[in-house]
Amino acid sequence: YKTLEENRKRYPELANEPIVETSIIDDGFILTSIEDESIDFIIANHALEHSPDPFGTLEIWLSRLRKSGIIYVTVPIADKCYDKGRPLTTLEHFAGDHHDFITLDKQAIIRTTESHIKEFIAISGANIRKMNNLEPADPALDKQLCSDLMNNLSTALKTADTYSDIMSAHINRINRIYDIHYHTFSPSGYEAFINRFCLVNDALTELVAKNGNGECIAIIRKK
C-alpha cells in the first residue's frame, strides 16, 4: 500500500538495498483494484498475520484468481520470531474473528482488536525492544499507545458500513501507525487453518510446510 518513495521513508535502514517500484497501490487485504477471476497467482509473504480477519482475507484473494490459480502465502512461526511467548491463535478464534467481520459486529471487533493490541505490545513489542538492545518501554506510554490506536479505530468504525470499510479502518488507523501481528501461528496450527479454509471454500491444499527461515509456507489452488 506504499509507493517506492514511501517505502524509502518508512524503512531508512534499507537505504542501500534495492526496493522495487510499486505498480499497484492498494489495500492488499481488499484488492479493490483487482477484478474477480482476473489473475493467475498471488504471493503474500508475511502479510496474513497482519490481517485482523485472515480467513476473510484468504477468501478475497481466492475470489481474484482464475480457475486453477495459486495463492502462495507464508507466515512467521511465532516461536521463531518476536511473537515468542504469545498464545497461538486457535481455529475457533479465527472463525470468531471472521464471523464478527462478516456480520459487521463492531463492538465485538473492538473488544477483540483491543486484546490483540494489548497482547502484541506486552509480548511482541517487549521482544522487539530486547532484540534491538533497547530499554523496556514505559508502561504509561504503552497504555497511551493502545488507547490512541483504539480511539482511532472506534472513530473510523462509526461510519463503516461494509466489510471493506471495517478492514480499511484497521489498516489505516492501526497497521499504518503500529504494524502489529494480530494472529500467531505454529506449523501444525497453520496447516489446520489452511486445511479448514480449503475445505470450506472448495480449494485444494497443495502444500503446507516449514522451512529453515522460521516461517511456514502454504500453497492453495483454486478449483
Side-chain angles (χ1 to χ4, degrees):
Y1 54 74
K2 292 191 288 290
T3 65
L4 172 60
E5 291 74 21
E6 288 173 324
N7 277 318
R8 286 290 185 202
K9 184 177 180 180
R10 174 67 176 80
Y11 303 105
E13 68 272 19
L14 300 180
N16 297 321
E17 300 292 333
I19 300 179
V20 300
E21 184 75 49
T22 314
S23 57
I24 298 174
I25 304 297
D26 200 351
D27 183 336
F29 300 145
I30 301 175
L31 294 182
T32 55
S33 63
I34 306 296
E35 295 182 359
D36 282 351
E37 300 183 359
S38 65
I39 55 179
D40 294 313
F41 63 89
I42 290 174
I43 298 172
N45 289 318
H46 291 235
L48 197 62
E49 67 276 9
H50 295 279
S51 171
D53 176 24
F55 204 92
T57 294
L58 280 179
E59 287 187 332
I60 288 174
W61 291 348
L62 193 70
S63 72
R64 301 302 192 263
L65 296 180
R66 298 187 181 102
K67 293 179 181 178
S68 298
I70 287 287
I71 301 173
Y72 179 103
V73 55
T74 69
V75 297
I77 299 172
D79 198 46
K80 301 296 183 180
C81 72
Y82 50 72
D83 290 326
K84 185 174 183 178
R86 291 177 61 182
L88 297 173
T89 307
T90 64
L91 286 178
E92 291 73 21
H93 186 111
F94 285 122
D97 285 353
H98 185 51
H99 176 270
D100 293 341
F101 265 75
I102 63 176
T103 60
L104 310 183
D105 189 340
K106 298 179 185 180
Q107 292 306 311
I109 290 170
I110 287 172
R111 289 193 299 270
T112 303
T113 298
E114 184 172 21
S115 69
H116 287 155
I117 292 174
K118 287 181 176 179
E119 180 181 292
F120 185 88
I121 290 174
I123 301 175
S124 302
N127 288 338
I128 290 171
R129 297 186 73 85
K130 287 180 182 178
M131 291 165 61
N132 289 280
N133 297 314
L134 299 174
E135 293 293 325
D138 184 334
L141 293 179
D142 277 350
K143 184 177 180 179
Q144 187 62 51
L145 172 61
C146 182
S147 177
D148 290 344
L149 291 172
M150 289 309 303
N151 286 336
N152 288 342
L153 179 64
S154 297
T155 299
L157 288 182
K158 289 179 181 178
T159 57
D161 298 319
T162 66
Y163 180 97
S164 294
D165 290 343
I166 293 176
M167 183 62 77
S168 291
H170 279 76
I171 299 305
N172 292 320
R173 301 303 181 98
I174 296 178
N175 292 55
R176 285 178 179 267
I177 300 168
Y178 189 66
D179 205 10
I180 81 165
H181 290 178
Y182 289 92
H183 301 93
T184 56
F185 298 89
S186 67
S188 60
Y190 189 49
E191 182 172 18
F193 170 73
I194 293 297
N195 286 338
R196 174 71 64 85
F197 171 80
C198 289
L199 179 65
V200 171
N201 288 278
D202 198 28
L204 298 174
T205 305
E206 297 225 338
L207 172 73
V208 182
K210 63 179 179 179
N211 62 22
N213 297 320
E215 65 185 6
C216 287
I217 303 166
I219 298 177
I220 300 168
R221 182 181 294 275
K222 185 173 183 177
K223 285 188 178 179

